[in-house]
Amino acid sequence: MEDRERVVARMQEAVGPTAVITDREELRTYECDGLTGYRAVPSLAVLPETAEEVQAVVRICRDEGIPFVARGSGTGLSGGALPVEEGVLVVLARMRRILEVDIPNQRVVVEPGVVNAWVTEAVAPHGYYYAPDPSSQIVCSIGGNVAENSGGAHCLKYGFTTNHVTGLEVVFADGEMVQLGGKTAETPGYDLVGVLVGSEGTLGIVTKITLRIIRRPETVRTLLAAFPSTDEAGGAVSGIIAAGILPAAVEMMDALSRQAAEAAVHPGYPDAGGLLIVELDGPAVEVEHQFQSVQEICRENGAGEIRIAENDDERALIWRGRKAAFAAMGRISPDYFVQDGVIPRTALPQVLHKISAMGSERNLRVANVFHAGDGNLHPLVLYDGTVSGEAERAEELAGDILLVCLEHGGSITGEHGVGFDKKKYMPAMFTADDLDTMQLLRCAFDPRHLCNPGKVFPTPRLCGERPGPYREHPLQQAGIAEIF
Amino acid sequence: MTVLGDIVGTPHVRDGGSGDAVDGITPRWVAMPASNEECAELLRLADRDGLAVVPRGGGTKLGWGNRPRQVDVIVDTSRLNRVLAHEAGDLVVIAQAGTPLATVQDTVAGAGQMLGIDSLWSGATLGGIIAANASGPRRVRFGTMKDLLIGITVVLPGGTIAHSGGKVVKNVAGYDLGKLFTGSLGTLGLITETIFRLHARPPTRRAVQAHLASPSALGLALQDVLRSHLTPTALEVRWDRSSGRLICLFESIEPSVAAQSDRAASILSRFGPVDVVDDISDLERPPWARGQTGLKIMTVPARLPDVIETVLGAAGEHGIDCRIGGHAGVAVLLVALDGGPEAVASTITTLRSRLEQEFVVVLEAPAPVKERVDVWGNAPGGALMRRIKEQFDPGGIMSPGRFVGGI
């Protein structure tokens, strides 16, 4: 960064000296997010405490032409909050106030650093909760959830972050702060809130979020069913959906995941080739009827043991292994890659067999733990980084798994985001025209590509170019700008 | 016209007539493309020659928005009317944008499924419902188009064909163009294909309603229902002058519908007489008749009583008739105003000045009313919207002038 000293001085003036980190060792704290394979130390980090401070920081970046990256709790799994080396990291962890709880209108207004689980804690006494529940919900921030359009186990029935955000306050790359949406269910004009949620921090920095909260269901019933293999478990999932039942969650784990979870958190799961967790919620009468049907469907599809949670503690025990599954892999493998592909639910058995065969070919183990209800796979490719070449083989396999998802009409990411990690796969999912058209949005919001550059899109065009066959941009011809 | 004929075939292009007029502006031509490629050729030509294009599906909401500045070509999507795939096991349907909603519902009903959107405008197509962001009573449970649309294909001015999303519900790859095009009223490009998530069609339904004597009773009844464990698929209000109704619709398996409607009746009976609604077709129509003015007022549940009082008061002051309907559960009201254009326009102006926290949009209105008021009113983010428009439609050929701020 040219004139780093001047930038640092301006930042210190904007947010106070203690909120600017310049020491390289201290900056290493922020060199990666939850995907630790990619690391970059930012030129400096700032920790604003208010929206106005965020705006001041962005304005300095704008004036100086410096790229900036926003970061919440840093739990993302796609490198979305990976810093830019010559840029500023805007850490929102100090903006963690719950600004308003509005029960009559079923809304909560929060700052971006507020942790997901705190929202539910704030409204639980009133009988409400915030539905999106990523596995990292006790740490991850709402701002990060908004960037990634985070899901979770219960989004099968209740939707993703995008279905639960009605308003945003955003600081855009030009330094303007804009209120979009609000507490109302909709507002006139283009759905800018819908566009912002899931844009992975590339369109602006969100400084205030209005969330929709929902009433706690009257009844929750949870069961764990053990099947000989994931095939039979998959059959049960199809049967449940075909019966017109929309569970709150349907989660599956294969034998290897079960083994890892057992070693790590001892949930006492039955020995099985395929474990299914099914949770229903809603009005008592409806849930009881459907819960009976789900048990019958599981049995018809070959379930041996079916465990039913009789209380909240037993439910928590069933979920414990599932929620800990990623971290538990450390018990059975020194290293692993987590993948986040999505397939149409009906392709589940086929794709799982294919993944298993691909693993065998490369002499690698793949554990599967996933949101079976919506076809969101999380294959965990296990490897040992100390064995020469194994990490490369594992990464290659993880990538090939995404291509298999695409062959079946799926997606390269269901909830983790494209970020830095998967941008190279975007051309396999989208045409050049698709990507160029998405880029038009980027150009409307951030024509200079200062806001979280280098994420989501492989090689963005310069703004001002029209989609279509590649042509050299006039700025490039004149030697003023380069495409990077 | 010859050139248009070369693109879509001579039988599928004709001169515009008065029946094709958009807010009184008769287009020069009507073209009916049958593929993405034909749409792309059409928009490439229009962009090159500066022809203003207005897309048209069923034509049921063609009068929404401001009066366009210019209309040269109506792109009629009636030949883009095929359901391309119904993947029942995955609860997904793929259909061309000109497909009537009713056709989709018929197609998926065989598998016991439905698209969770209900149109108040019979004959509406998927593309039209998306472009207008129209919704019906069941949005309380199933959401609106943006919650159900999981993939979209659009054609931009200049002829680019672009997709986003896909045929899986859970998908965060790339920007969501479906959200951008939902409610864009034909101002960014032409929607040609759509992919939706489906829901199981509930086997039974029952509706109960409370007859209420005051808006404040409505407000209390609504809060009690919202705070109960009931899961209605619709929660509607109807209000005429001095009294009104709050209607709870339950759709599920029989035991649940029975238990929930009993419970609802017991909650509602504290606020007024309760009965069962046998015919719910009234919920599936807008409150206004042809020639009247239709407003959409977006508020929050706690403000519903005040908003209703304000509407009744303003209509009374200006001496016009009004009828209020809408989706109480999400606090979106639909208001019919009937009176002389001057009085209707004044009523709208009064409402906007008194309802500062609300958004008051004119959906439909006779031309003399539209000449007197801005149909959109206040909309946050106007400057950004203009920049988006400039990126997607730099030549300004798509439905020019119809949108917020004259976009």
Side-chain angles (χ1 to χ4, degrees):
Chain A
M1 188 187 290
E2 286 174 41
D3 299 318
R4 182 167 182 263
E5 272 177 40
R6 185 183 64 223
V7 173
V8 168
R10 289 190 68 185
M11 290 292 180
Q12 284 173 338
E13 196 181 333
V15 296
T18 58
V20 180
I21 298 173
T22 56
D23 178 78
R24 200 173 155 81
E25 277 315 302
E26 283 182 61
L27 285 168
R28 290 184 71 90
T29 309
Y30 301 109
E31 67 183 353
C32 64
D33 61 11
L35 188 67
T36 55
Y38 302 105
R39 289 166 197 264
V41 179
S43 190
L44 64 148
V46 293
L47 289 84
E49 289 186 24
T50 64
E52 289 67 31
E53 288 186 356
V54 173
Q55 185 177 29
V57 166
V58 170
R59 284 185 167 165
I60 296 167
C61 292
R62 172 200 65 190
D63 296 346
E64 304 278 349
I66 304 167
F68 56 91
V69 177
R71 173 187 168 108
S73 299
T75 56
L77 292 171
S78 59
L82 180 71
V84 173
E85 278 182 356
E86 288 295 299
V88 173
L89 189 72
V90 184
V91 181
L92 299 163
R94 289 187 182 174
M95 293 180 66
R96 34 179 60 190
R97 285 179 301 164
I98 294 178
L99 300 170
E100 191 187 348
V101 173
D102 181 354
I103 297 298
N105 296 316
Q106 303 167 323
R107 297 288 185 271
V108 173
V109 184
V110 301
E111 290 184 330
V114 164
V115 168
N116 174 297
W118 297 355
V119 181
T120 290
E121 282 166 25
V123 299
H126 305 278
Y128 284 79
Y129 74 111
Y130 177 62
D133 62 337
S135 292
S136 55
Q137 71 185 125
I138 54 165
V139 204
C140 66
S141 71
I142 294 293
N145 292 175
V146 168
E148 303 301 315
N149 187 16
S150 302
H154 291 82
C155 59
L156 175 63
K157 181 169 180 179
Y158 292 104
F160 320 94
T161 302
T162 188
N163 308 106
H164 299 269
V165 175
T166 61
L168 294 174
E169 178 184 85
V170 191
V171 175
F172 290 105
D174 61 2
E176 291 299 305
M177 193 186 326
V178 182
Q179 313 290 330
L180 304 173
K183 284 187 184 176
T184 55
E186 57 184 281
T187 49
Y190 299 135
D191 179 11
L192 300 178
V193 172
V195 167
L196 260 294
V197 178
S199 60
E200 305 199 28
T202 60
L203 300 180
I205 299 184
V206 168
T207 49
K208 196 182 290 178
I209 305 124
T210 306
L211 301 170
R212 185 167 74 95
I213 48 166
I214 55 180
R215 188 76 174 88
R216 274 246 174 257
E218 185 177 16
T219 309
V220 182
R221 297 304 309 270
T222 310
L223 66 75
L224 175 77
F227 294 88
S229 78
T230 51
D231 282 357
E232 289 86 358
V237 176
S238 294
I240 291 166
I241 300 296
I245 297 169
L246 181 58
V250 181
E251 299 287 303
M252 205 192 292
M253 295 171 76
D254 68 3
L256 205 49
S257 312
R258 188 202 67 85
Q259 193 188 323
E262 206 55 57
V265 294
H266 322 297
Y269 287 159
D271 193 5
L275 282 177
L276 204 59
I277 299 173
V278 184
E279 190 160 284
L280 301 182
D281 68 15
V285 177
E286 187 172 303
V287 168
E288 284 312 324
H289 271 80
Q290 294 186 336
F291 200 59
Q292 292 302 324
S293 307
V294 167
Q295 292 173 57
E296 282 159 27
I297 292 164
C298 286
R299 290 217 175 77
E300 283 162 17
N301 282 278
E305 185 174 349
I306 297 181
R307 280 188 201 171
I308 294 166
E310 298 297 344
N311 53 45
D312 285 350
D313 288 344
E314 290 185 18
R315 177 171 12 267
L317 188 64
I318 287 180
W319 277 107
R320 188 196 296 165
R322 166 62 188 90
K323 295 235 172 190
F326 286 12
M329 289 303 148
R331 298 300 181 118
I332 58 167
S333 173
D335 301 287
Y336 60 92
F337 283 112
V338 183
Q339 216 36 296
D340 179 39
V342 190
I343 51 167
R345 182 174 39 235
T346 47
L348 212 54
Q350 232 177 318
V351 171
L352 289 180
H353 283 291
K354 176 82 184 169
I355 290 174
S356 159
M358 287 161 65
S360 305
E361 273 168 32
R362 287 182 172 81
N363 200 23
L364 290 166
R365 293 180 301 166
V366 182
N368 285 291
V369 45
F370 51 93
H371 310 299
D374 39 30
N376 185 190
L377 305 179
H378 290 310
L380 297 133
V381 180
L382 312 184
Y383 68 97
D384 182 348
T386 62
V387 176
S388 160
E390 204 165 295
E392 290 74 16
R393 283 206 329 272
E395 193 180 359
E396 197 181 280
L397 172 59
D400 286 353
I401 288 173
L402 291 186
L403 300 180
V404 171
C405 293
L406 290 180
E407 278 167 27
H408 285 84
S411 169
I412 58 172
T413 173
E415 56 185 2
H416 295 173
V418 177
F420 186 79
D421 185 42
K422 289 187 280 287
K423 61 179 183 172
K424 64 183 175 211
Y425 299 108
M426 286 290 274
M429 182 162 170
F430 294 109
T431 68
D433 279 351
D434 299 345
L435 296 173
D436 287 347
T437 302
M438 292 177 190
Q439 202 59 33
L440 294 174
L441 265 178
R442 178 68 173 274
C443 294
F445 286 87
D446 175 24
R448 293 162 73 202
H449 288 201
L450 292 180
C451 191
N452 207 5
K455 311 289 168 63
V456 186
F457 299 101
T459 45
R461 283 164 189 271
L462 287 175
C463 296
E465 286 183 281
R466 303 300 302 160
Y470 180 74
R471 291 175 302 270
E472 202 174 27
H473 190 276
L475 283 175
Q476 258 185 304
Q477 287 170 349
I480 297 168
E482 278 183 303
I483 290 188
F484 53 88
Chain B
M1 185 149 147
T2 322
V3 188
L4 293 176
D6 288 347
I7 296 172
V8 296
T10 316
H12 306 299
V13 59
R14 60 175 172 79
D15 287 325
S18 59
D20 301 307
V22 183
D23 269 331
I25 305 175
T26 303
R28 292 154 79 185
W29 306 287
V30 176
M32 288 165 275
S35 68
N36 288 344
E37 290 68 29
E38 288 182 8
C39 293
E41 284 299 319
L42 274 178
L43 291 202
R44 188 173 299 136
L45 172 79
D47 198 38
R48 190 194 70 194
D49 294 351
L51 300 174
V53 172
V54 172
R56 180 176 78 192
T60 57
K61 296 176 284 293
L62 209 56
W64 287 25
N66 296 316
R67 189 170 192 257
R69 280 193 290 274
Q70 186 185 337
V71 185
D72 296 307
V73 187
I74 294 267
V75 175
D76 179 309
T77 59
S78 57
R79 294 173 70 220
L80 293 165
N81 61 351
R82 284 180 303 136
V83 175
L84 301 172
H86 171 215
E87 289 161 12
D90 296 313
L91 285 163
V92 165
V93 69
I94 307 174
Q96 290 179 303
T99 313
L101 174 63
T103 305
V104 175
Q105 300 292 28
D106 288 347
T107 305
V108 304
Q113 297 177 359
M114 63 170 196
L115 174 53
I117 194 99
D118 32 19
S119 170
L120 303 180
W121 292 268
S122 124
T125 61
L126 299 176
I129 299 171
I130 294 168
N133 190 22
S135 54
R138 289 174 181 83
R139 61 178 288 171
V140 168
R141 169 68 71 82
F142 301 106
T144 57
M145 273 301 193
K146 71 169 197 170
D147 301 301
L148 300 166
L149 183 69
I150 58 171
I152 195 167
T153 304
V154 296
V155 176
L156 304 190
T160 302
I161 300 171
H163 318 78
S164 93
K167 58 177 195 171
V168 287
V169 174
K170 202 168 179 186
N171 180 4
V172 295
Y175 295 152
D176 192 341
L177 299 178
K179 297 253 185 333
L180 179 67
F181 273 72
T182 300
S184 63
L185 209 65
T187 57
L188 296 176
L190 182 66
I191 302 166
T192 60
E193 277 176 29
T194 60
I195 311 178
F196 290 97
R197 69 175 298 187
L198 299 171
H199 285 87
R201 185 175 286 274
T204 5
R205 74 157 71 119
R206 196 162 310 157
V208 293
Q209 62 184 0
H211 297 267
L212 302 160
S214 69
S216 60
L218 168 76
L220 294 171
L222 175 63
Q223 284 298 325
D224 276 11
V225 173
L226 291 176
R227 289 182 196 211
S228 72
H229 287 297
L230 297 172
T231 55
T233 49
L235 198 44
E236 290 279 295
V237 59
R238 293 293 179 274
W239 208 273
D240 295 297
R241 292 210 179 121
S242 59
S243 67
R245 296 173 288 145
L246 178 65
I247 305 136
C248 304
L249 175 67
F250 298 99
E251 295 173 296
S252 180
I253 52 174
E254 171 56 31
S256 174
V257 163
Q260 291 203 69
S261 39
D262 285 353
R263 177 82 193 115
S266 128
I267 292 173
L268 294 174
S269 63
R270 297 204 291 274
F271 304 96
V274 173
D275 54 24
V276 170
V277 189
D278 294 321
D279 179 11
I280 63 158
S281 59
D282 150 61
L283 302 186
E284 292 165 338
R285 282 192 297 267
W288 51 84
R290 192 166 283 279
Q292 296 179 344
T293 295
L295 309 182
K296 180 173 182 177
I297 303 181
M298 292 150 253
T299 182
V300 291
R303 296 242 330 127
L304 268 186
D306 278 358
V307 173
I308 289 173
E309 295 276 19
T310 306
V311 172
L312 295 171
E317 283 165 37
H318 295 283
I320 63 170
D321 282 334
C322 81
R323 200 161 52 254
I324 300 172
H327 322 307
V330 289
V332 173
L333 292 179
L334 299 174
V335 176
L337 300 178
D338 191 16
E342 195 68 54
V344 168
S346 304
T347 306
I348 294 166
T349 307
T350 304
L351 284 177
R352 285 188 176 147
S353 69
R354 291 184 191 162
L355 298 176
E356 285 181 349
Q357 302 169 49
E358 278 68 35
F359 299 98
V360 179
V361 173
V362 179
L363 291 186
E364 288 182 37
V369 172
K370 282 196 177 183
E371 284 162 17
R372 289 171 168 83
V373 290
D374 170 23
V375 307
W376 294 100
N378 167 39
L384 267 172
M385 290 183 204
R386 190 164 298 282
R387 269 152 50 193
I388 291 172
K389 168 73 172 182
E390 281 161 10
Q391 289 292 330
F392 279 76
D393 179 21
I397 62 156
M398 294 304 301
S399 306
R402 268 181 103 187
F403 206 52
V404 172
I407 286 173

